Amino acid sequence: MPKKGFIFDLDGVIVDTAKYHYFAWKKLAESIGVSFTEEDNEHLKGVSRIKSLETILQWGNITLSDEDFQELITRKNEDYLSFVNTMTKAEILPEVPRVFQFLKEQNQPMALGSASKNAQSILKKVGLFESFQTIVDGTKVTKAKPDPEVFLKAAEGLQVAPKDCIVFEDALAGIQAANTAGMLSIGIGDAVILHEANYVFKDFTEISNEFLYKLISAS
Ligand code: B16
Ligand code: MG
């Protein structure tokens, strides 16, 4: 059986935390007088916490002292974590467990490739921490998506060549990172937003075991 490397983003792919980031950023942006819509939020998906706040400040033409910047970053993460702390297995996105089970049966190694510094605690909370051979998260990378660093490190951890890796992502920046890394990119979400991906599916209910098997068998 050939071996591919399956790399999964976290927020918006494995668990439904993208909405919690949205709620927390919206509350923060509006508290400093910057309007914030779901469309604005698309620009922050897959983007690091610091870069996200820098972007919101740019939109509002706001300059802050380092101290105030830190204060806002801390507040956003506390709000976000207050949502995360209520999470259960029920917030694993549909059919993710079936996909993980199939890949395990096929002896395919899996990695996490996420910008989140909260990734490990979220995975433990929903009981998926043990599913991954390698976890590359926001504590392990220096360059944010669309830079390919996170996925290249994941491939290295899996000991699979980048060309044999398959990335599942809900953010355009993540699809671009996977493409730059020379990997096959699979968008999870809106085909218009994720148009640069090799394939796009609404969610894992549209990804059959037959399709996964074809990915594994492709040379
Ligand atoms: P944290 P992913 C990303 O995770 C999120 O998409 C993005 O919205 C968030 O700002 C970033 O993680 C940092 O997360 O504040 O928890 O460190 O999609 O790459 O799994
Ligand atoms: Mg994501």
Side-chain angles (χ1 to χ4, degrees), residues 41-203:
N41 189 56
E42 279 304 317
H43 298 282
L44 307 187
K45 282 190 180 171
V47 174
S48 73
R49 206 181 302 167
I50 289 179
K51 183 89 182 91
S52 297
L53 180 54
E54 285 170 354
T55 304
I56 292 171
L57 294 175
Q58 261 173 25
W59 290 338
N61 221 347
I62 297 169
T63 312
L64 291 180
S65 66
D66 287 353
E67 200 183 322
D68 288 345
F69 189 95
Q70 275 315 318
E71 206 264 318
L72 289 191
I73 278 279
T74 305
R75 205 198 308 159
K76 186 270 171 179
N77 198 46
E78 283 170 359
D79 279 339
Y80 176 64
L81 289 179
S82 69
F83 292 118
V84 164
N85 285 334
T86 67
M87 279 178 80
T88 64
K89 281 180 194 290
E91 274 158 287
I92 297 174
L93 285 163
E95 300 202 18
V96 167
R98 188 256 310 158
V99 168
F100 282 15
Q101 181 59 31
F102 181 75
L103 294 176
K104 195 173 165 195
E105 284 163 13
Q106 300 295 320
N107 292 317
Q108 298 301 305
M110 290 170 32
L112 188 87
S114 166
S116 176
K117 291 185 172 162
N118 296 304
Q120 300 208 14
S121 55
I122 293 170
L123 286 177
K124 284 179 188 155
K125 199 129 194 38
V126 298
L128 290 177
F129 187 76
E130 306 295 337
S131 302
F132 299 96
Q133 276 87 333
T134 297
I135 291 180
V136 183
D137 62 17
T139 65
K140 303 211 177 93
V141 290
T142 53
K143 291 175 232 142
K145 301 167 188 175
D147 189 281
E149 183 188 14
V150 62
F151 296 139
L152 290 173
K153 280 200 167 157
E156 205 180 300
L158 294 178
Q159 295 187 296
V160 175
K163 71 170 182 45
D164 291 322
C165 288
I166 297 138
V167 173
F168 296 87
E169 252 293 345
D170 71 319
L172 180 59
I175 295 294
Q176 291 167 336
N179 292 344
T180 305
M183 300 175 177
L184 187 88
S185 56
I186 301 189
I188 301 292
D190 185 323
V192 175
I193 295 169
L194 303 175
H195 63 281
E196 292 178 36
N198 294 118
Y199 298 91
V200 183
F201 299 98
K202 183 172 62 66
D203 57 31

